[in-house]
Structure formats: structure tokens, C-alpha cells
Amino acid sequence: MTPTRTARVRLCAAVAAVLAVTAGGLTTAATATAAPSATAAPSTAAVVPYPADRPELVSAGSTGFLTWTLGKNDDLHAVWTRYADGSKAEPWSLARDWITTSRASDVIVRVQPSGHVTLRDMATDQDVLSFLPGTVGAGGAYAGAVGRTAFVRVPNSLGGHDVHLVSRGDDGSTTDRLVTRLPGGAIDPTVRAATADTALLTYITGSGTGARTHWATVDLGTAAVTETALTAGAPDRQTPVALSGTHVAWLEPGTGGRATVVVTERGPSTATQRIGVSGAVDSIGLVGGWLTYAQTGGYEERNPSAAYAVTARHLGNGTTRKVMDDIAHSAVAPDGSLYVQGGTVAGGEGLYRIAPGADGAPGATRVASSGLSTKVTLLGHSIPSVLDLDRTGGRFTMVWQLSRSEVEMTVRIRNTRTGETLSDGVYPLDVPEYDPHRASYTWNGQLTWNGSPDLWTGAPSGPYTWEITAKPMNGIGPELKTSGTFTVTRKAGAHDYDADGSPDVLMRDTAGRLWISDTFPSPYEDRLDQNPGLLVGGGWGVYDRIEAVGNIAGSAVGDVVARDRSGVLWLYQGTGLAKTPLSARVRIGSGWNTYAQLTGGSDLTGDGRPDLVATDKAGDLWLHKGTGSGTAPFAARTKIGRGWGVYNQITATGNIAGGTAGDLVARDKDGVLWLHLGRGDGTFAARTKVGGGWGAYGDLLGIGDANRDGRPDLYASERNTPGAALLYRGTGSWSGPFRPRTGIAWYATSPDLRYDLLS
């Protein structure tokens, strides 16, 4: 097969990073074994390492192969690697010389800036020829080499070039033989393919619109042209050609996404076949009685094509078979076998030898391995066994190290206890800085709410699985499907009854039914989303006060107290389960109807437990310190203030002003909102004015940290629009405790459902 792309363009940029997936928090993963692909049959014997620093195959000999590689500083190196033990030699530097191949041999060629040419046989590590092309003839230039013979083209009087064969004789002298039977008008003849005893030249005749491309075979023994042919299409010095002992093949351009490979028999027959091939085929080869063809570079492509596979076609009966899954470069060895830098799904990327098997059909045997997988595989990931979403701010970037990142990937995160899931697409290429192996997904700590794909809820503590499905964009190999487990830990926040780290709002409708409505900061917009209500249960019309009071009874989530119309206070402990958020009620005590206002959830005394404050009908303020007991959650009351009868609502907000303890906001009868800073001993400092106009709101809830910025926020329901609400985000400053209000996207359970109370 003749590669048609230059080394500088086609040098792969990915191999080195794959061989060392270690640090950076990545957990390594073993590469899974896939079913063999097509007819490729990689050897199970030990193979040598393929160069890991972005290689390009240049030639293949009987003892080793030559690659061009890019170093760490993008400096080019020519490296000879031996098949036997993988040892490497770098006899000449590419820093200023051109190092290339002498076809069908173990010989490599150095062309210096002066034009001086040296041939070295890497099997013996000896120079076998050294000369200056200008000594062959005026204007002489290097035109290729086969084995130990160099080709030099020299301008002639007909406007074309003569070709000379230069080699070293048995006596050590340099011999020069003129190639006969080559048309005098042949322009720029160049060696493009070879067997051990024959070279194939391509050249151009004519000029302008009359220019044409030809090929000619040259017998190395007689230095004579033995066959010639004209190729169709515009002149192209890089037209793919192939040569074997029995055939010559070349690629001609086509239309409609198809091209034509022309194959002609050598010798007296000259029978010719024209074989149509689909796709952007740019590499062809001849192996035994088979033609091979493919589009190079499929491993790095981002669109699928059947042409990426190396296909072999029998020149007799036309049967085809896939030999390899992708190809980057190729070279013909002295024995006529084809060496391909590419890969198979079964054997991975590296160097393969394509040769006839026992049945005469070509098969691929792996000769050297780059350590790179042809199919998409997982090399490692960054997901810890325990993920503390409180420490990560509710977000975590999951990173998967893949054998290649040219994939379309789906991430699925599932809470195995509740069944709640999240599925999202990942496109590793849509990032500012391309990484050939990194695929990442920033999880906002959310799951889909109640199975609705466009509604979100916080991920509660508990066991999880992650699963990725990565589809190769080039279509080479199967989808990667792999998974793992992790555990989420997080503390329940204020107003959090389902342990997902996001506040919930309790709503009672006019029929006396209680609903829980989950909130979550939108992953896509700067707003708070509120999901439809889930029914908690009926019969809540017996209560005249329902208050969220935080975790007062020692469980992991917030609790609720409710006062019936006879003044008995009841405790409903939170369960941490969204569908059954409250456990059965427990009686706390009677006489609570002496209070006009109740509010709780803030730690006012600095002992780590939320407390409850209440105003009586005389306007006195009382503190009920939290105990942490499920049967007697409040201590006896302590009077902490008077004159609070001016307020029609008091709301415990947590520490919104940056002080030492929880705070209160209180709204007076004129709609003015006041801030009372907690001192930390159960009392409050003198009030400061927040602002007016708060009479437009019905209920004010100290909802906790709704937007996950570390500060408590205030939720305000609109008085004349049931279910509608606004969010005032906390600033942490006593002089201006709230930012301007923002809307809450609320998805109502029913558009005509009305609520008479929120908590």
C-alpha cells in the first residue's frame, strides 16, 4: 500500500499519552477483551513495542522498520526498530538531513542539504553507498532508491530527465548505469514502488492541459524499462501505485464518491481490471493474488466510513474480506508482504504484517504494538468511591480517560436506592483545549425529578452507579459500555426533607392536603426551579400552624411541627424520602395556642441545634431551645423580648448577616421588613430596616441555601398568585442582607390548585 500523506501532516499526536495513565486522581481500568474483528488474526506471540512518540512508518525491511517520530519539542527523528528485540537505532538526525527509505530492503537513505546521498544497510549497520548526485550529471538530483541502488535523474536536451542507477560494485567502486527505454520527455521520474528486483517510476509528460502521468517498471539487473502505462486524470506525482511480481496497480479519480483502481498483469498478458471502490480511498497494495485498498487516517477521523478498513479483493474471483480495521501508513517488505501501521479491534494499534495465509488469503499478524487500543476502551477515571458533595460545592467533574476521545458519549448516573437517574450527552471534542484521551462531565449533583427528563432534583446521600456508553465517531469498533459505583454523602440542609441537599417547600391546599415541592438551582440558567408538588397526605386542615423547624429530633433531615386548633403541638420527623417525607406524628404538648407566631430552624444559642421562637398575643418573644429529643424536642420557654406584636410574620433565616448565630427577619403591619441579628445566646440585637413593600408577599420562608453559594436565602410567596414565588438570595452582609429578587420557575401540579399555607 502506498501512503499518500506527508509525514509532517500525518504524524499522530496521541500515542505517548496513552502509555502512562497514572496520576491526577485517575483510577486505572483494565482494557476489556472484545470479539475478533473480521478476518484479522493477530499473532499471540510476543511483539516488540511500536515507537510511542507519534510515529509514521516509512519502510519495512527483513530485520526491522524505519519510522519518523516527533520528539517532545516536535523535533523529528528517524528511528530504526529491530523486529527481533525491539532495540532502536538512530544513525542520522533529521534535524537538518532528510532520512528516508530505500524500498524493499533494510537500507535507509540520508540526503544532506548539499545533496550528498548515503545509503546504509541497517541489517549490517554499514554504509553501502555514498555519492553526490551532481557527479552523475549536471543538475543531477536524488530520485529514490531500491535496495542498495540509488536512482538519479539528470536533465536532458529534450526537456525531460534521464535516469541513472548508482550502486557500489564488488570492488568498492561506484557504478553508474543509464536506464534505457525511458521516454526522453519523462519529467521528474521518481521511484514510487518496488520489489526486490524491480522499481516502479512515475513521471509526467507534456505540459499545461496536455500534461499526463505515466508509470514505468525498471529491471534493476538490466537497467531497462520493461513496461509502461498512462494513468487517467490530471498529473499527480502522488498518485497511489503498487507493484508486485505479477501486477501493477494504480488509483484513478472518480466521481460521486467513487474511485477506480486499475490493475494490470505484468508480462505478456497485460490483462487489465478496473475496480470501482467507494469512499476516499488513498492507499492501495498488492499481496499475492489480492488487491488491498483503504482510506488512511481512519483512527483519527470523526466521521464513519467503511473505507477506513483495509479490504482485500481477490484478483481472480472478486471476493473480498476485511483484513484490518484502520490504516495510517504502509510499506512493502523485501519478500513482498505489506507492513501496515494501523490496527484491529482484536489486536490494537501498532505494526502489522499482511501476507497470504495457509489458504492463500491475506491475513494480518501483529509485529509491534503501540499499546493503543483500536476500539474505544476505558483507561481510568477520577470518580472516588465516596463523593462528598458538600465539600465539592454540590458539583463534581467526572473524568474518564479513554483510549481516544473522538466519541459521542452518554453518561448515566443512578441512585440505586431510589431508582432516580440522570442521563446526559458528552462530546469530548466540544471543549476549548482538545485532549485526545479525556472525556469529562460536570455533574451538578442532580437527578431527574420523578422520571421527568426536564425537571431536576438534588441527588440524596446513598449508593450510586455511573455508566458510560461511548460510541466511536469514526465507526471503528463497538461502543464502549462500562460502569462503576460510588456513594454520595451530603448533609441535609434547611427545609430539606428528602436529604438531597436542596430545599423543599411544604404547601397545604384549600382541601387540607399537604404537598412537598422540591427546589433545585437550574443547571442551565441563573434561577431556582421548583418542581411540581408530590402529595404527602390529607387531613392537614386540622392544623392552624405548620412550621419547618429544622432537625430538632436528631434525625438526618429537617422536621415539621404542626399546631392543631385546640393548641396541641405535634412533631413530624423527616424521613429523607421524597415520596414519604414525614413519619407519623408525635405529640409534643398542649397550650401552644397562646402564640400568634411560630418560627424555627435557626440555631440561636450556638449549641448546634435549631431552636424555636414564638410571639404571644401580648407581643412578647419567647425562646424554646432545641433539645435533640424526638419526644421532648423543646426546653421550657424563656422570654427574650417584648414589643413583637407589631409584626404579622417572623421568619428564622439562619445566619444571613455574617454574625455568630442565626438571625430573624420580621415584617410589620405596614409591609416593612426588619432584620434582627442573633447574638448567639438566644437573644437578638436591635432591629435594622431591610426595606418596604414586603406586604405584597404572603408567606416568607427561611428556605436555607437555595442557590448553593454558602449563604441562606429567603423565599417569598406572591400573595395573589397561588404557587408563584420569588427568591431573595443572601449576601452575608447585615447592612444589605439580600440581593435583588429573582424569579422561581415553578411547575405547578395543577394550574387551578390553590394553597392557603406554605412552610
Side-chain angles (χ1 to χ4, degrees):
M1 267 184 174
T2 305
T4 64
R5 304 183 188 182
T6 66
R8 273 71 172 173
V9 174
R10 293 295 302 140
L11 285 175
C12 174
V15 178
V18 175
L19 300 180
V21 179
T22 52
L26 291 178
T27 301
T28 57
T31 302
T33 302
S37 68
T39 58
S43 171
T44 57
V47 295
V48 300
Y50 198 63
D53 41 359
R54 296 171 284 178
E56 177 176 312
L57 178 68
V58 179
S59 69
S62 57
T63 65
F65 56 91
L66 179 68
T67 52
W68 287 339
T69 63
L70 281 176
K72 294 181 180 179
N73 299 318
D74 285 343
D75 49 331
L76 279 167
H77 298 268
V79 179
W80 180 266
T81 304
R82 295 178 177 84
Y83 300 127
D85 56 9
S87 60
K88 295 175 173 56
E90 191 174 342
W92 296 311
S93 171
L94 269 169
R96 64 187 187 92
D97 300 335
W98 179 36
I99 312 301
T100 187
T101 176
S102 181
R103 298 178 185 273
S105 70
D106 289 73
V107 177
I108 64 174
V109 181
R110 177 177 66 172
V111 182
Q112 296 176 280
S114 63
H116 195 278
V117 176
T118 303
L119 274 62
R120 174 171 292 185
D121 191 335
M122 297 305 295
T124 61
D125 200 26
Q126 298 291 321
D127 291 350
V128 294
L129 181 65
S130 183
F131 72 103
L132 191 65
T135 61
V136 176
Y142 175 74
V146 179
R148 297 186 173 199
T149 300
F151 285 62
V152 176
R153 57 174 173 255
V154 177
N156 60 31
S157 60
L158 300 177
H161 292 89
D162 296 329
V163 174
H164 296 251
L165 304 188
V166 181
S167 59
R168 179 181 293 174
D170 294 337
D171 59 358
S173 62
T174 299
T175 63
D176 173 7
R177 296 178 294 158
L178 177 67
V179 172
T180 60
R181 301 177 189 171
L182 183 69
I187 301 171
D188 290 343
T190 303
V191 178
R192 296 289 313 286
T195 64
D197 57 10
T198 304
L200 185 143
L201 306 178
T202 61
Y203 59 91
I204 294 173
T205 60
S207 62
T209 58
R212 294 292 184 269
T213 301
H214 306 254
W215 61 261
T217 55
V218 177
D219 184 284
L220 297 182
T222 63
V225 170
T226 54
E227 301 145 310
T228 61
L230 173 70
T231 67
D236 184 0
R237 292 177 175 84
Q238 298 301 316
T239 297
V241 294
L243 175 71
S244 72
T246 57
H247 293 84
V248 177
W250 66 95
L251 186 68
E252 293 185 346
T255 59
R258 292 183 65 83
T260 299
V261 181
V262 183
V263 184
T264 183
E265 291 186 22
R266 297 179 61 190
S269 171
T270 67
T272 300
Q273 302 181 51
R274 301 183 64 84
I275 300 168
V277 292
S278 298
V281 168
D282 58 1
S283 180
I284 60 176
L286 291 165
V287 178
W290 296 70
L291 167 73
T292 64
Y293 53 89
Q295 176 182 342
T296 60
Y299 184 86
E300 298 170 326
E301 291 291 343
R302 299 172 184 178
N303 293 293
S305 172
Y308 299 150
V310 178
T311 300
R313 176 189 174 98
H314 193 274
L315 294 174
N317 57 31
T319 59
T320 61
R321 61 189 295 168
K322 183 166 76 170
V323 181
M324 291 180 62
D325 290 295
D326 75 271
I327 174 177
H329 310 281
S330 63
V332 178
D335 63 358
S337 60
L338 187 66
Y339 280 73
V340 172
Q341 176 186 324
T344 68
V345 168
E349 295 294 295
L351 183 64
Y352 286 76
R353 178 177 182 265
I354 298 178
D359 59 354
T365 301
R366 190 174 57 182
V367 175
S369 173
S370 68
L372 197 67
S373 174
T374 300
K375 64 181 179 180
V376 179
T377 58
L378 177 68
L379 304 176
H381 64 81
S382 70
I383 305 169
S385 58
V386 178
L387 175 57
D388 186 340
L389 287 178
D390 292 326
R391 293 186 61 186
T392 63
R395 297 161 58 92
F396 182 75
T397 298
M398 299 179 171
V399 177
W400 293 271
Q401 199 80 355
L402 305 179
S403 57
R404 68 175 187 267
S405 61
E406 290 90 353
V407 298
E408 297 174 347
M409 195 167 90
T410 299
V411 176
R412 185 171 184 263
I413 300 169
R414 181 175 183 270
N415 184 315
T416 57
R417 179 171 59 87
T418 66
E420 294 171 312
T421 62
L422 166 72
S423 293
D424 209 348
V426 175
Y427 298 88
L429 300 183
D430 294 342
V431 294
E433 295 184 3
Y434 168 67
D435 187 314
H437 306 294
R438 187 178 192 269
S440 65
Y441 177 71
T442 298
W443 184 39
N444 290 316
Q446 86 271 31
L447 301 169
T448 54
W449 178 85
N450 211 33
S452 300
D454 298 322
L455 301 179
W456 310 106
T457 185
S461 297
Y464 284 77
T465 60
W466 61 262
E467 179 183 278
I468 60 170
T469 301
K471 179 181 179 181
M473 296 176 71
N474 60 7
I476 297 175
E479 291 183 347
L480 166 67
K481 291 186 177 181
T482 188
S483 61
T485 62
F486 65 102
T487 299
V488 166
T489 62
R490 70 188 325 165
K491 293 180 181 179
H495 269 265
D496 183 7
Y497 306 107
D498 52 10
D500 65 358
S502 297
D504 306 305
V505 177
L506 294 176
M507 302 175 292
R508 184 178 64 187
D509 64 25
T510 53
R513 296 175 297 178
L514 190 69
W515 302 78
I516 182 172
S517 183
D518 190 43
T519 70
F520 189 77
S522 171
Y524 309 110
E525 299 183 41
D526 185 21
R527 72 179 189 212
L528 185 68
D529 288 349
Q530 184 171 334
N531 293 322
L534 292 176
L535 182 63
V536 177
W540 288 75
V542 301
Y543 302 119
D544 64 1
R545 297 293 302 184
I546 302 173
E547 293 293 333
V549 291
N551 176 11
I552 64 172
S555 64
V557 294
D559 306 318
V560 172
V561 296
R563 183 181 66 189
D564 65 25
R565 300 185 191 281
S566 65
V568 176
L569 195 66
W570 301 86
L571 169 65
Y572 288 86
Q573 283 191 252
T575 65
L577 302 174
K579 295 182 179 179
T580 56
L582 301 176
S583 59
R585 69 180 187 176
V586 175
R587 180 185 171 114
I588 295 175
S590 60
W592 287 78
N593 52 357
T594 188
Y595 296 125
Q597 301 287 334
L598 297 172
T599 189
S602 292
D603 177 16
L604 305 176
T605 60
D607 62 359
R609 300 190 187 97
D611 306 306
L612 183 141
V613 292
T615 59
D616 63 20
K617 295 174 183 178
D620 293 332
L621 184 67
W622 299 87
L623 169 68
H624 287 268
K625 186 176 179 180
T627 66
S629 169
T631 56
F634 300 118
R637 70 180 187 172
T638 302
K639 188 174 181 177
I640 58 174
R642 62 179 67 243
W644 288 68
V646 298
Y647 301 127
N648 61 20
Q649 184 168 0
I650 60 173
T651 302
T653 59
N655 183 358
I656 63 170
T660 59
D663 307 314
L664 287 181
V665 292
R667 180 181 61 192
D668 65 23
K669 295 178 176 59
D670 295 324
V672 177
L673 192 68
W674 301 86
L675 170 63
H676 289 267
L677 293 176
R679 290 192 175 103
D681 60 357
T683 65
F684 298 95
R687 70 182 187 175
T688 57
K689 186 177 179 179
V690 176
W694 291 77
Y697 300 121
D699 293 286
L700 301 177
L701 307 179
I703 197 172
D705 185 8
N707 64 337
R708 295 186 175 175
D709 66 353
R711 302 185 184 97
D713 307 309
L714 188 67
Y715 178 105
S717 66
E718 297 188 50
R719 188 181 297 280
N720 298 318
T721 309
L726 297 165
L727 182 69
Y728 286 85
R729 292 176 288 185
T731 65
S733 170
W734 67 269
S735 60
F738 302 115
R739 293 191 181 95
R741 67 186 186 181
T742 58
I744 295 174
W746 187 66
Y747 302 90
T749 303
S750 172
D752 59 354
L753 189 63
R754 298 183 64 85
Y755 302 95
D756 67 353
L757 179 146
L758 291 91
S759 177

